[in-house]
Amino acid sequence: MKIVYWTSTGNTEEIANLIAEGLSKENIKAELFNISSDKVEITDSDSIIALGCPAMGDEELEEGEFRVFFDENKSKLNGKKVILFGSYGWGDGKWIRDWAEETEATGATVALEPLMINYAPDDKEEIINYGVKISKLA
């Protein structure tokens, strides 16, 4: 399973790694891709994909890299189960609710309640358990 993310401070990357740890507890191998440094493509064989991006600016997706990646791959999400996660430091989660709505408009299913973590992950076990929940969707 692919976990694709963008991170600024490292918080979203830490979340991605903890989700992967939860998946590995259920013997599911996660491939992690930081779109700032890794080339990644969403393919037909990706039935479930996790996407992570922190809230930026006025509660929106990061525009320089992640928004570009998301817009280029929207058409490939149709029919897939998508998991959304990210960190935030202000606001009430509008960015992830808008992102979930936009994702479902592609024909994808947001398969779990998106995971929002305020700043850095404190409850690491909560995020690992989220990865275990994702494994049950496979």
Side-chain angles (χ1 to χ4, degrees):
M1 182 186 143
K2 289 179 182 162
I3 300 175
V4 180
Y5 66 93
W6 183 89
T7 193
S8 173
T9 63
N11 293 339
T12 301
E13 181 173 32
E14 185 176 1
I15 296 166
N17 283 309
L18 291 166
I19 288 171
E21 187 176 331
L23 288 165
S24 73
K25 283 185 166 195
E26 300 298 315
N27 297 315
I28 294 179
K29 182 180 179 338
E31 297 177 277
L32 285 95
F33 298 92
N34 179 337
I35 63 165
S36 293
S37 57
D38 301 320
K39 183 170 174 43
V40 61
E41 187 176 327
I42 296 173
T43 65
D44 290 342
S45 64
D46 297 317
S47 60
I48 303 173
I49 187 161
L51 301 174
C53 185
M56 303 296 290
D58 188 24
E59 282 207 82
E60 55 198 19
L61 295 176
E62 188 277 330
E63 293 182 343
E65 294 178 87
F66 194 85
R67 169 52 72 184
V68 172
F69 168 82
F70 186 74
D71 287 347
E72 288 175 351
N73 286 278
K74 274 192 225 183
S75 64
K76 298 176 183 176
L77 296 177
N78 184 29
K80 298 189 184 315
K81 293 177 185 173
V82 179
I83 309 302
L84 302 176
F85 66 94
S87 62
Y88 69 103
W90 60 90
D92 69 353
K94 181 181 182 322
W95 108 97
I96 211 158
R97 288 191 306 274
D98 290 347
W99 186 17
E101 189 175 296
E102 185 178 359
T103 299
E104 291 204 327
T106 69
T109 299
V110 176
L112 289 175
E113 183 73 27
L115 180 65
M116 299 185 303
I117 301 296
N118 189 246
Y119 293 106
D122 288 330
D123 187 349
K124 294 179 183 358
E125 201 59 40
E126 171 195 11
I127 302 167
I128 292 168
N129 288 335
Y130 190 77
V132 171
K133 286 180 188 176
I134 294 169
S135 74
K136 306 299 182 203
L137 300 171

